[in-house]
Amino acid sequence: MPPVRSAFVAGNWKMNGALAANAALLEKLRAGLPQRKTAEIAVFPPFPYLDQVARLLSGSMLFLGAQDVSERAAGAYTGEVAASMLADFGCRYVLVGHSERRALHGETNALVARKFGAAQSAGMTPILCLGETREERQAGSTLEVVFQQLDAALSLHGVAAFANAVLAYEPIWAIGTGLTATPETAQGVHQALRQRVAKDDLAVAADLRILYGGSVKAANAAALFAQPDIDGALVGGAALDADEFLAICRAA
Ligand code: PEP
């Protein structure tokens, strides 16, 4: 039987939001979602709004996620947020290794791999973000870079851990720039990532959802989702616009 990977659309709000704006956005999303569940959809608000968003999502088909997590369980780590705390607020997913965390906060592959494990230890599903810079792409090292990012988590946790994980391929040159990888370019990397996991476990690879991220919008979503190894999207800017986000969800 061919694998059945349910489509997944994740909306990363980044450091955007306010009580009133969140409520208005979620009201529009709830009203506009198809009655029948077609794709899994999750929103990732900033930490302070998790409680508000959890309450506003209650009874809907939308899931809650967090944008980051500490590698530590508890203690004297000022400013950090533990995985158990995110689970307390109903988070099902956690982004780890978003390129903005890697670039602006110096997160290494090893740290990201530990965060991946912290999310799983609290019963959540990590979404491991991977992607190359423009210079790395131009130098022809895209696969080398994303394999190193993937391998850090694979070697620390083993391939079985990927039965409860999602990958998000996000070429850094496409994030927030309006430039999107062509569906074929993205498909090539997604396929290579799946093959990499398949070397360790065919079944885990076949069921692993790999999202594409980088300026996804209503106008380009359907062509990306038509690719066999693109299982959905991690959406930034367009996740703040209810009409755009709903259109992407419908395309999925
Ligand atoms: C992101 O932040 O993960 C992202 C893909 O952003 P954007 O959709 O704005 O490019």
Side-chain angles (χ1 to χ4, degrees):
M1 271 239 306
V4 185
R5 296 187 296 267
S6 58
F8 186 14
V9 180
N12 174 15
W13 292 4
K14 311 197 189 200
M15 199 175 71
N16 295 293
L19 289 171
N22 301 344
L25 176 58
L26 291 172
E27 193 182 320
K28 280 195 197 161
L29 291 184
R30 287 191 63 150
L33 281 177
Q35 294 304 308
R36 197 169 51 84
K37 185 177 170 197
T38 46
E40 199 171 334
I41 301 162
V43 293
F44 295 71
F47 291 141
Y49 298 121
L50 287 173
D51 179 48
Q52 179 207 16
V53 174
R55 281 185 281 109
L56 293 174
L57 293 185
S58 150
S60 78
M61 292 183 310
L62 290 153
F63 292 106
L64 181 64
Q67 298 175 17
D68 185 30
V69 64
S70 176
E71 62 172 312
R72 316 276 185 180
Y77 302 106
T78 303
E80 292 283 276
V81 177
S84 60
M85 299 170 184
L86 301 177
D88 263 354
F89 282 93
C91 287
R92 180 172 185 138
Y93 294 100
V94 184
L95 301 181
V96 296
H98 190 281
S99 62
E100 286 151 16
R101 302 284 327 162
R102 292 177 188 267
L104 303 173
H105 301 273
E107 294 198 6
T108 61
N109 289 342
L111 172 62
V112 171
R114 293 195 296 275
K115 291 185 173 203
F116 179 106
Q120 287 192 334
S121 323
M124 296 178 293
T125 302
I127 300 180
L128 174 60
C129 304
L130 320 161
E132 82 287 5
T133 62
R134 184 194 304 270
E135 295 71 32
E136 288 163 342
R137 171 155 287 274
Q138 282 165 351
S141 44
T142 296
L143 293 186
E144 189 189 327
V145 170
V146 296
F147 286 168
Q148 276 171 4
Q149 293 168 339
L150 173 63
D151 287 353
L154 260 180
S155 58
L156 188 63
H157 303 294
V159 70
F162 283 76
N164 176 32
V166 175
L167 298 184
Y169 169 57
E170 299 203 300
I172 295 168
W173 46 271
I175 295 183
T177 58
L179 299 172
T180 318
T182 64
E184 295 72 24
T185 301
Q187 163 60 21
V189 179
H190 284 228
Q191 185 181 35
L193 287 167
R194 197 179 305 287
Q195 284 168 350
R196 183 75 164 196
V197 177
K199 280 205 319 201
D200 289 352
D201 191 313
L202 273 177
V204 169
D207 288 342
L208 180 63
R209 289 182 294 179
I210 309 180
L211 314 183
Y212 170 78
S215 300
V216 175
K217 36 192 179 296
N220 58 24
L224 287 160
F225 299 158
Q227 297 295 322
D229 289 291
I230 299 184
D231 304 310
L234 177 51
V235 183
L240 299 171
D241 178 324
D243 293 333
E244 276 293 303
F245 192 66
L246 284 167
I248 295 167
C249 294
R250 277 193 291 273

